[in-house]
Amino acid sequence: MIPRLKGTDDILPPESARWRKLLRVFDDMAERYGYDLALMPAIESTELFSRGVGETTEVVEKQMYTFEDQGGRSVTLRPEFTAGIVRSYIASGNQGLLKLAAAGPQFRYEQPQKGRRRQFFQVDLEYLGEAAPGADIEVIEFSYRLLESVGVDGIGVRLNSIGDAADRVAYRGLLQDYLRERQSAISQDAQRRIESNPLRVLDSKADAEVVHDAPVPLDHLGPEAAAHFDQVRAGLDRLGVPYEIDPRLVRGLDYYNRTVFEFSATSFEAAQSSLGGGGRYDPLGELIGSKHPVAAVGVAMGCDRIVEAMAEPGGHRLDLYVVVADRDRTADAMEWVGRMRARGFKVDWDASASRSVKAQFKAANRFGAAAVAMVGGEWSDGVVSLKLLETGEERKVSVEEVEEWMKQR
Ligand code: HAM
């Protein structure tokens, strides 16, 4: 046996039922909110991420699956969607609005643990070409409703604004001074970051005590960023999306400005507990070579964590399992199954056309059918025997009545 790589998962039934539900709800909601589908490469030039996500971020410093391909180029398995999507937006010359939804695996070389995988799966929205706070409000509301719709309990939304790059010049100096004065009391990582990426120290758990009284970006917003943030808050209030301001929320990727946010849930507790996150990233386009600024905001939700926070989907996997009691009726049964499937019912049967009635009943139970329809001698009169598997109740009914019964369920 060749083992699975550490930090990767085979997602199979019964667990995959929750995945199917999550991906369906995401796809359906994205369509309803006006997001088109984007299918993106899983492999990109390394430079896209080092410049886009940021040279001094943990993702780029330590976690990338980077290698040289046979043509001698440095390539990287995507650790996230956003940089690739913005690359494609710029390349297509698209200067207008574009709302995209994407779903797929991401790769980060991390120490695997609960909810922290080396290959993990994100569903992602990017609202490109829009500077107004309405876009921020929409992606946050969408993410909240997505978690609600799949049955995640105790959803928490943390919200912050880190301001614009110009606001951060002065602020960065203040924070650096504050940290330098306490250099001996902070972690090695934090000391190293004072010069390279001081903002990241704000959400360092190891330095929580020192950081508690540090100056925060929220108190140093320029008037435009402050007004933007007020509008985001007012919009979320109006839509009934609860949130909590966390002035020390800064996120792990460098491309953000203004709004940043993260989701959690009481039903998912782990060292890394964020179910998703995102924010506005107006600087990203120019970081990766756009001549024009690209205003944009987006979110990525971590599916591996969300499914752990979801309850088992209730209900039956199949509406009906068709049991062939009279083997002369096998072809009729097959045709009937096909007709019901075409009408949208979830129906299965013994395609081997060889198992005993007993074995077929066993399969019906194993695959979670709500009922069994037995096709036997009375088929020529349009009659089958319908047995409800939960109650054991059994009656002779017409084929039409079976379909009517499924419709009513
Ligand atoms: P991120 O915070 O790096 O943001 O990742 C988003 C979510 O992906 C996390 O909240 C978490 O649920 C999940 N995630 C991240 N790493 C892992 C892992 N190793 N194992 C399991 N789940 C993980 C981004 O990726 C940005 N691209 C979000 C964004 C979109 N910003 C703007 N647009």
Side-chain angles (χ1 to χ4, degrees):
M1 257 310 280
I2 299 160
R4 198 153 43 80
L5 289 177
K6 196 170 153 185
T8 68
D9 299 294
D10 303 322
I11 298 160
L12 296 167
E15 201 200 335
S16 56
R18 278 177 289 163
W19 281 83
R20 180 180 263 174
K21 177 172 174 188
L22 173 59
L23 295 177
R24 262 200 195 139
V25 171
F26 171 75
D27 192 46
D28 181 56
M29 279 184 63
E31 194 171 19
R32 273 190 282 134
Y33 278 65
Y35 291 80
D36 284 312
L37 178 65
L39 298 172
M40 303 306 297
I43 188 165
E44 298 269 7
S45 291
T46 300
E47 205 187 349
L48 175 70
F49 302 112
S50 54
R51 275 166 53 190
V53 171
E55 205 71 72
T56 63
T57 60
E58 206 131 307
V59 171
V60 171
E61 271 184 351
K62 300 184 191 152
Q63 300 176 342
M64 295 218 294
Y65 276 91
T66 295
F67 58 96
E68 202 170 278
D69 74 5
Q70 311 215 6
R73 303 166 202 89
S74 179
V75 297
T76 295
L77 296 183
R78 66 179 176 210
E80 60 123 37
F81 273 124
T82 314
I85 289 179
V86 174
R87 173 194 55 65
S88 77
Y89 178 82
I90 298 166
S92 71
N94 203 329
Q95 298 301 313
L97 280 181
L98 190 63
K99 292 171 66 173
L100 297 176
Q106 315 295 332
F107 305 87
R108 296 183 193 178
Y109 195 82
E110 304 206 58
Q111 221 27 64
Q113 52 175 265
K114 184 180 176 193
R116 193 157 88 185
R117 317 301 300 152
R118 288 182 175 170
Q119 176 173 332
F120 60 100
F121 201 101
Q122 285 183 341
V123 291
D124 182 284
L125 293 185
E126 307 296 350
Y127 199 140
L128 297 149
E130 181 56 75
D136 312 38
I137 296 165
E138 183 173 290
V139 297
I140 297 170
E141 191 238 1
F142 177 100
S143 313
Y144 183 80
R145 302 278 177 236
L146 173 68
L147 293 174
E148 239 182 13
S149 303
V150 298
V152 169
D153 281 336
I155 306 165
V157 185
R158 291 190 298 143
L159 181 70
N160 192 21
S161 174
I162 59 169
D164 289 314
D167 308 335
R168 274 204 303 274
V169 177
Y171 165 71
R172 194 182 144 102
L174 283 177
L175 179 60
Q176 284 175 321
D177 289 345
Y178 177 92
L179 294 173
R180 277 191 205 109
E181 278 163 29
R182 291 157 184 81
Q183 192 136 12
S184 56
I186 59 179
S187 66
Q188 294 243 305
D189 247 4
Q191 291 181 24
R192 205 166 46 84
R193 289 216 166 93
I194 292 179
E195 302 310 323
S196 65
N197 201 346
L199 226 67
R200 284 291 292 158
V201 181
L202 288 182
D203 73 350
S204 156
K205 285 195 184 116
D207 302 292
E209 219 168 288
V210 172
V211 155
H212 187 77
D213 296 315
V216 291
L218 199 55
D219 293 330
H220 299 271
L221 300 183
E224 284 175 12
H228 187 99
F229 193 53
D230 287 344
Q231 288 179 65
V232 171
R233 295 187 55 175
L236 294 175
D237 292 339
R238 183 69 190 257
L239 293 174
V241 176
Y243 60 86
E244 182 188 312
I245 303 290
D246 179 352
R248 277 172 288 278
L249 176 68
V250 291
R251 310 261 311 128
L253 317 166
D254 277 355
Y255 47 60
Y256 293 110
N257 68 328
R258 299 197 178 181
T259 320
V260 290
F261 50 86
E262 272 182 17
F263 296 88
S264 62
T266 50
S267 50
F268 181 76
E269 277 176 28
Q272 308 277 314
S273 61
S274 169
L275 295 184
R280 176 159 286 284
Y281 54 90
D282 305 331
L284 174 56
E286 284 167 312
L287 287 174
I288 59 172
S290 171
K291 292 191 189 73
H292 314 278
V294 177
V297 55
V299 62
M301 305 299 286
C303 299
D304 306 75
R305 295 179 191 175
I306 294 173
V307 292
E308 286 206 41
M310 283 166 67
E312 276 306 325
H316 291 279
R317 190 174 154 274
L318 295 172
D319 297 317
L320 191 70
Y321 195 93
V322 172
V323 167
V324 184
D326 174 355
R327 276 293 162 208
D328 291 341
R329 298 297 176 199
T330 299
D332 295 323
M334 178 173 71
E335 194 190 338
W336 185 39
V337 166
R339 235 171 26 237
M340 288 189 285
R341 286 172 170 169
R343 289 194 187 128
F345 297 113
K346 293 178 268 183
V347 181
D348 207 355
W349 76 306
D350 169 30
S352 80
S354 67
R355 291 189 177 82
S356 70
V357 169
K358 195 174 156 199
Q360 293 177 66
F361 265 93
K362 221 169 132 187
N365 277 305
R366 181 163 162 234
F367 295 122
V372 159
M374 252 190 300
V375 173
E378 286 151 308
W379 177 260
S380 45
D381 307 322
V383 172
V384 297
S385 169
L386 181 70
K387 182 171 183 178
L388 309 186
L389 290 178
E390 230 152 68
T391 58
E393 181 193 338
E394 190 171 346
R395 58 199 150 98
K396 304 256 179 212
V397 294
S398 69
V399 165
E400 291 75 32
E401 280 172 293
V402 173
E403 295 184 17
E404 200 43 47
W405 172 81
M406 287 193 291
K407 235 185 267 169
Q408 302 298 327
R409 295 186 56 230

